[in-house]
Amino acid sequence: MSEYPYLSSYDPAVPACELRLTVRATGQSVTVQAIIDTGADGTLVPIAFLNRVGARRVFETGLRSQWGERRRVFLYLADIHVGPVVLPGMYVVGDEVGQETILGRNVLNHLRLLLDGPAALTRVTP
């Protein structure tokens, strides 16, 4: 089991975890802090992190924000490590605007996750 504190720099505090992105073809990895967003369909990663690990752009698609605006984005392929769990070959959106990594349901649905609000801890178990 791995535990991660909520981010108290947000009000109210937000559940978060540490994740490691790896790309087997390059052997590169980067560890980032990710906000857990159960309302997000997909996972968004700042493009700088994807470039750092040499993630491959796979295809173009559209993304609609919670306000209904649409924009063109590219999906990248990377392995995602969250605590004891390794998820190979996951699609992530390369975010060219934002600076936050958002962990969405495409990854969350593969995890056993406890959001312990009173303790302000996120727990990930295999």
Side-chain angles (χ1 to χ4, degrees):
M1 176 175 66
S2 298
E3 292 186 339
Y4 307 95
Y6 278 27
L7 300 179
S8 59
S9 56
Y10 291 80
D11 187 22
V14 66
C17 67
E18 185 176 275
L19 65 86
R20 188 165 52 96
L21 295 168
T22 62
V23 174
R24 281 175 271 170
T26 66
Q28 299 296 312
S29 71
V30 64
T31 300
V32 299
Q33 193 169 58
I35 293 171
I36 295 171
D37 186 347
T38 61
D41 296 340
T43 295
L44 283 77
V45 177
I47 197 73
F49 294 130
L50 295 170
N51 289 338
R52 189 177 307 163
V53 297
R56 184 172 54 99
R57 182 190 286 182
V58 181
F59 60 87
E60 181 178 341
T61 188
L63 179 84
R64 186 171 46 101
S65 78
Q66 66 272 29
W67 293 286
E69 67 189 40
R70 291 191 64 78
R71 75 176 198 205
R72 180 183 70 122
V73 296
F74 292 98
L75 293 183
Y76 291 76
L77 204 54
D79 297 343
I80 296 179
H81 306 250
V82 182
V85 180
V86 179
L87 303 170
M90 300 298 292
Y91 290 113
V92 299
V93 173
D95 188 351
E96 296 180 1
V97 177
Q99 300 302 311
E100 298 172 321
T101 299
I102 306 294
L103 199 59
R105 290 191 317 275
N106 71 312
V107 171
L108 295 175
N109 286 345
H110 294 278
L111 300 175
R112 178 166 290 154
L113 190 69
L114 173 66
L115 304 180
D116 186 345
L121 283 174
T122 300
R123 291 185 180 94
V124 180
T125 58

